Amino acid sequence: MSAAFTPFIGSINNFDYQQHDWVTFKSKLQQFFLANDLNDVSDKAGLKRRAILLSAFTDESFKLASNLVLPKSLEEIGFGDIFKSLDAHFTPKRCGFAVRSQFYAATQQPGESYAQWAVRLRGLAAHCSFKHLEDALLDKFVMGMSAGPEREKLFGMDIDDLSLAKAVDQAESVRCARTAAAASAPAGSGCGPLFKMDGGPRPTTTGAATSEKCAVCGRKNHKTSECRFANYKCKKCNNRGHLRKMCKKMNYVGLCDTSEGDDVLTE
């Protein structure tokens, strides 16, 4: 009587070396072996593991594996040796400083959350061989952040009290508070841009320039109600609401201070 067939737990997708990452596939395959209790004890010769590995290969991947073990065939090579050959082929040799250069050059991208930025940094640091990984991650996380209140907040904190996880939490807290404050602000409470005195015509609501002089400064490119000098004090009469060249109080002839661009007034 034949033994009952026990189905495997989980499944393994096909591996195409031209489209898939070997490291990712290898990790998933090892988890599959673990879940199904396939190891050096239960599968001493590695025949089951070799069969599962090779059956997951596409035709092109199978040909590549065959070429890597030449002059022997895949049926003659043990599972462990096939694994080592594939590792050597797919795992590139890395230059330590070149990898670190990519890490240090990274910056937070537009639309990237602080949690995503931290995760991406961990990936970039995977092959950097930092002696103090957490310190390097914290430094780059803060220094590579987009400019804003979140970055300023972390710059003002004591480094000894920070870890990468705490830095992410602090940045998210500031972002959430800023977002909530902006959402709760009354409509129209924001300050508009200051009127720019550029000497050119200022469009009115109809798109045409006003023909009347401003009673405050004398220009024609804006209305009196829009003048930025409305609260300035006249240097001639000491009253507020107009500049000296628009002062109606007549005085003696003299040279005027031209610090505001006023004309010489004569009585």
Side-chain angles (χ1 to χ4, degrees):
M1 183 177 179
S2 61
F5 173 72
T6 302
F8 286 122
I9 299 173
S11 61
I12 292 295
N13 296 329
N14 288 340
F15 174 71
D16 182 349
Y17 78 92
Q18 295 176 322
Q19 299 182 16
H20 303 141
D21 178 61
W22 163 250
V23 175
T24 301
F25 173 79
K26 181 178 71 171
S27 297
K28 294 177 66 176
L29 184 64
Q30 290 172 330
Q31 293 302 310
F32 177 81
F33 290 155
L34 179 63
N36 291 281
D37 197 27
L38 292 171
N39 49 50
D40 292 338
V41 176
S42 62
D43 182 31
K44 293 182 180 180
L47 297 180
K48 287 185 179 180
R49 286 174 289 171
R50 182 180 65 185
I52 292 172
L53 170 65
L54 297 180
S55 63
F57 283 175
T58 61
D59 290 346
E60 291 301 320
S61 297
F62 192 92
K63 290 178 182 178
L64 173 66
S66 298
N67 292 335
L68 290 175
V69 300
L70 287 174
K72 295 183 178 181
S73 66
L74 289 173
E75 291 76 11
E76 299 175 301
I77 302 295
F79 167 76
D81 291 333
I82 295 176
F83 230 57
K84 289 179 182 178
S85 297
L86 292 168
D87 262 340
H89 178 77
F90 288 116
T91 305
K93 294 181 179 180
R94 291 181 171 88
C95 176
F97 284 107
V99 176
R100 289 191 179 189
S101 176
Q102 295 177 355
F103 174 83
Y104 287 122
T107 56
Q108 185 182 11
Q109 299 300 307
E112 187 175 40
S113 70
Y114 296 108
Q116 291 170 335
W117 166 228
V119 169
R120 184 159 66 89
L121 277 180
R122 282 198 179 278
L124 291 172
H127 302 285
C128 289
S129 300
F130 287 123
K131 293 182 179 179
H132 304 287
L133 176 60
E134 291 302 317
D135 288 343
L137 287 170
L138 176 60
D139 289 350
K140 187 57 195 174
F141 175 80
V142 177
M143 295 177 187
M145 288 172 62
S146 300
E150 295 86 349
R151 189 169 186 261
E152 294 172 4
K153 171 70 174 179
L154 292 176
F155 262 57
M157 296 184 67
D158 189 346
I159 294 179
D160 294 334
D161 296 333
L162 272 181
S163 64
L164 179 61
K166 288 183 179 180
V168 173
D169 288 342
Q170 286 289 339
E172 286 292 349
S173 295
V174 175
R175 182 193 64 79
C176 289
R178 185 160 55 92
T179 302
S184 62
S189 62
C191 295
L194 290 176
F195 177 73
K196 182 179 180 181
M197 299 296 290
D198 57 4
R202 179 176 178 82
T204 61
T205 54
T206 60
T210 178
S211 60
E212 297 181 1
K213 280 187 177 181
C214 170
V216 176
C217 69
R219 294 178 179 268
K220 292 185 178 182
N221 61 345
H222 62 275
K223 297 178 181 179
T224 300
S225 61
E226 298 173 332
C227 188
R228 65 182 297 183
F229 300 113
N231 292 321
Y232 277 47
K233 183 184 289 186
C234 175
K235 293 185 178 180
K236 185 175 181 181
C237 67
N238 288 326
N239 292 325
R240 295 184 182 277
H242 61 274
L243 298 183
R244 178 171 52 206
K245 67 179 181 179
M246 295 302 292
C247 185
K248 296 181 180 180
K249 182 177 179 181
M250 304 305 293
N251 208 336
Y252 61 88
V253 177
L255 293 176
C256 298
D257 179 11
T258 59
S259 62
E260 296 175 348
D262 294 345
D263 298 327
V264 174
L265 297 176
T266 58
E267 186 171 349

